[in-house]
Every structure is written in C-alpha cells, then in structure tokens.
Amino acid sequence: MLGQVLGILLATVVIIYVAASWVRDKSTKKAETCPQQEVVQGERRTERPASRDDSLPKPISVNYHFTRRCNYRCGFCFHTAKTSFVLPIEEAKRGLKLLKDAGMEKINFSGGEPFLEKGGRYVGELTRYCKQDLGLPSVSIVSNGSLVKEKWFEDYGEYLDILAISCDSFDFETNDLIGRKQGQKDHVASLLKVHDWCNQYKVAFKINTVVNTYNKHEDMTEQIQQLQPVRWKIFQCLLMEGENAGPDALRNAEGFLVTDQEFEDFLTRHKEVACLVPESNKTMQNSYLILDEYMRFLDCRGGGKTPSRSLLDVGVDSALAKSGFDEKMFYKRGGKYVWSKADMKLDW
C-alpha cells in the first residue's frame, strides 16, 4: 500500500515538472517572436518604440504651411487658399512633437500668411512651444510682413530665430502688378518696419524674392545691401498643378514665368550681394519637406502636390515615405546652414 502511494506521488512530481518546463519554453519562444514587448514589474507589458527605417531621410528641416489663407493676392502663389482649415493648436503641437522625436531640428512656419490666424498669436504660441518646450535649434517664419506688430516681437521675439519677409520689388507699381499688396498699403514700408523690429528684438532678418515677368529686369542690389539680411533667397517662379496652373487652380502663373536664362541674368546682376542664395525650379521643387494644414507631406515630383496621410494618423515615418523628398538635393542646395541665431554672431 505504501509503495503505491509513493509511486503516485513520484508520478505527480514528474508531471508537474514536465508541465512547468513546457510553459517556460513556450514563454521564451513567445518573447523571441514579439521583440516589441517587454515585461515590467512581472506582469505589465508596454510597447517599445519601433526602430526607425534607416532608408528614410530624417525630417531635419520642415516647412509647415499651417494655413492657406492670405491677405495678399500674388499672381504666382503656389500654395493658395483652397481651404480655410487650421488645426487646433494642441493637435499642431502634438504633430510638432512627433517631428522633433523623429529628428527635426528646424521648423519653418509659412502659409498663406501666418500672421492672419488669431492676430499672430497662433504662430506665436507655436514658436514659443518649439523653442521653449521642444528645444529646437531653429524656428523661423515666412511672412509678407503686412500684419506683423511690434507687440508680437515683445511677446514672442525671443523664441524666433529667423523672420523671412517676401519682397519681389522695391517699386510700388511692380508690387501692384504682382499682387503683393493689400489695398493701398505700401508693402516696402511694412518690410522696412519689420526689418527695424528684427534688429531691435534680436531676430535674424531674411528676404525671399521670386523672380518673375514683372521684376526680372530690376536691380535690387542697393536696397538689399542697405538692409543686410542674413540671407537673400531668390526663387524662380514655379508652376504647380492645382495651385497656380491647371483647371482646378485658384491662380494662373503662366504669365509670370521667366526662362532659365532670364533667371540667370537676374542672379548675375546681383552677384555682388554676398548673402544671395539662388534656387532654380530644378533645385527647389523636391528638396523641401512641405507639410500642409492637415500635417500631410506634399509630394511635388509630378508637378503638383500629392498629399500623404496625416502624420497625426499614421506617424512621421509612414507619412515621410510618401513625401517625395530629395534629401541629396536638400544638402546640395545648402538646405542645412547656420540657422540658429545663437550661432550667427550677429551685431545687433
């Protein structure tokens, strides 16, 4: 009788041991096939962030066109008021944080006209957030300058590295023909005022110029050298299907186009300007990461703008894979430069 009891006990121990070994082996195999999982405090499981696809470029510099609305009517505009949508600011901040985590170092806010939204407070708060909370090395804005107020500099100037003002001519009539105006307001007067505020509040001042039919013969050398911007970016007028070309476009820029030779002639005329940075259509078209008002990257390779899904929905990498971004051309055109005002050593 005693022998039977001992036999039963021994068999039970063997069964328990075999079962425990099977469970342990099963758990090990599951852990090996699920590398995104880790055990925390014995029971709780949390997701590890997936490793980044090394074949994708880093979104080192992003141009966020958070609004399409504008108070000017430039005839060659390539990002027109096709919607009036603007993300709630907390959603915009969430997207900017995702971009920062993916490697963004510079954010450029553009439009439309960035200072239209909430009297400039929207772009001001995003500027503060990107510099103060995200710690981005560079935060910049492109504006026509007509709606900028000194109070904005008082509230947000310390967080802004570069303010670029679009200026295609120093002649009132030429600006009128281009559409770079609102009513009878003098665009150049606005430019000069913003220039002085940038110096006063220690923001690097930049000028963007689009070479087109109406300014292609102008000589802007004297005025640019007097203003001394940190950069004078010169673009060639560009057609974008659905924006300023084609049946669905809000603009028709055909009459604003210049030939490659006319663009080169403009550059040659201003060759003495040290801060000049030229960008032809070939250089510009695919070398910018453009984010629209829904935080979708825009692929410009086909001559129009094909949007990705929003990075707010699919993440930065999935959206970036549909951007058409030419990273090599970005570096070739000098897309990475000294873009933090702390490193510019400017004489304020």
Side-chain angles (χ1 to χ4, degrees):
M1 185 71 176
L2 180 60
Q4 289 178 336
V5 172
L6 290 174
I8 292 171
L9 288 173
L10 180 60
T12 302
V13 169
V14 170
I15 291 170
I16 292 172
Y17 176 81
V18 171
S21 298
W22 182 84
V23 170
R24 183 171 62 253
D25 291 344
K26 186 91 171 174
S27 299
T28 301
K29 288 179 181 178
K30 184 176 182 181
E32 290 172 350
T33 57
C34 301
Q36 299 300 315
Q37 301 274 330
E38 66 177 354
V39 178
V40 180
Q41 295 178 347
E43 294 182 359
R44 184 181 175 188
R45 293 181 180 272
T46 59
E47 293 291 324
R48 289 184 187 140
S51 60
R52 198 162 186 279
D53 185 350
D54 291 337
S55 67
L56 289 173
K58 266 189 179 181
I60 185 172
S61 176
V62 177
N63 297 273
Y64 178 24
H65 296 250
F66 65 81
T67 181
R68 284 178 172 268
R69 296 192 307 127
C70 188
N71 59 320
Y72 279 14
R73 292 190 59 82
C74 301
F76 51 71
C77 181
F78 69 91
H79 201 74
T80 55
K82 304 193 81 169
T83 79
S84 59
F85 180 80
V86 177
L87 275 173
I89 196 164
E90 292 305 318
E91 280 293 275
K93 288 180 179 179
R94 181 167 73 88
L96 292 166
K97 175 66 164 59
L98 291 173
L99 287 164
K100 167 63 164 52
D101 292 344
M104 180 174 69
E105 296 179 17
K106 180 181 186 293
I107 184 70
N108 178 55
F109 296 113
S110 190
E113 172 48 49
F115 286 86
L116 260 179
E117 190 65 23
K118 300 188 183 302
R121 293 190 303 279
Y122 186 94
V123 71
E125 289 303 317
L126 291 184
T127 298
R128 186 206 305 269
Y129 174 74
C130 286
K131 181 60 72 172
Q132 186 170 267
D133 295 347
L134 297 184
L136 292 184
S138 183
V139 182
S140 65
I141 300 173
V142 175
S143 167
N144 61 40
S146 65
L147 302 176
V148 183
K149 308 295 183 186
E150 184 174 9
K151 181 67 165 60
W152 193 93
F153 283 93
E154 294 173 356
D155 293 339
Y156 303 111
E158 64 181 293
Y159 310 111
L160 183 64
D161 291 280
I162 303 168
L163 179 55
I165 301 299
S166 300
C167 179
D168 307 313
S169 175
F170 289 96
D171 179 74
F172 183 87
E173 291 184 1
T174 302
N175 283 320
D176 188 37
L177 289 169
I178 291 170
R180 200 173 282 288
K181 67 166 196 171
Q182 182 182 21
Q184 294 302 307
K185 195 171 185 179
D186 188 343
H187 177 70
V188 176
S190 297
L191 170 84
L192 297 176
K193 192 180 295 182
V194 172
H195 167 267
D196 292 344
W197 286 333
C198 282
N199 285 338
Q200 181 179 347
Y201 292 93
K202 299 182 179 180
V203 174
F205 180 73
K206 177 184 172 185
I207 294 177
N208 288 348
T209 296
V210 177
V211 180
N212 64 84
T213 300
Y214 298 103
N215 70 350
K216 63 184 180 181
H217 297 301
E218 187 168 344
D219 189 342
M220 303 168 70
T221 302
E222 181 180 351
Q223 294 91 338
I224 296 296
Q225 289 181 335
Q226 287 176 350
L227 291 168
Q228 293 187 319
V230 293
R231 284 164 74 84
W232 181 27
K233 185 74 74 71
I234 300 182
F235 302 99
Q236 183 178 2
C237 183
L238 176 68
L239 289 184
M240 295 298 294
E241 186 74 21
E243 297 284 358
N244 61 16
D248 299 325
L250 297 183
R251 298 282 193 279
N252 182 0
E254 291 280 355
F256 290 83
L257 293 180
V258 295
T259 66
D260 291 345
Q261 186 58 56
E262 288 171 331
F263 181 68
E264 288 300 321
D265 290 345
F266 187 93
L267 298 179
T268 301
R269 192 178 311 125
H270 297 91
K271 64 183 179 181
E272 300 302 323
V273 180
C275 61
L276 186 154
V277 181
E279 286 191 13
S280 66
N281 289 346
K282 182 180 178 180
T283 303
M284 176 177 65
Q285 187 166 349
N286 304 318
S287 65
Y288 283 82
L289 273 176
I290 301 175
L291 205 62
D292 75 358
E293 65 272 26
Y294 301 101
M295 284 200 157
R296 304 177 301 185
F297 284 115
L298 299 178
D299 184 346
C300 302
R301 287 175 295 180
K305 292 181 177 179
T306 304
S308 69
R309 294 180 64 189
S310 174
L311 64 83
L312 294 169
D313 297 327
V314 300
V316 173
D317 281 0
S318 292
L320 192 58
K322 302 292 185 180
S323 68
F325 177 56
D326 186 341
E327 187 177 35
K328 289 183 179 179
M329 183 60 78
F330 167 78
Y331 284 107
K332 184 177 180 180
R333 69 169 173 82
K336 181 74 169 70
Y337 58 96
V338 179
W339 52 31
S340 172
K341 65 182 179 182
D343 300 327
M344 292 180 188
K345 300 177 181 178
L346 296 174
D347 183 9
W348 305 106

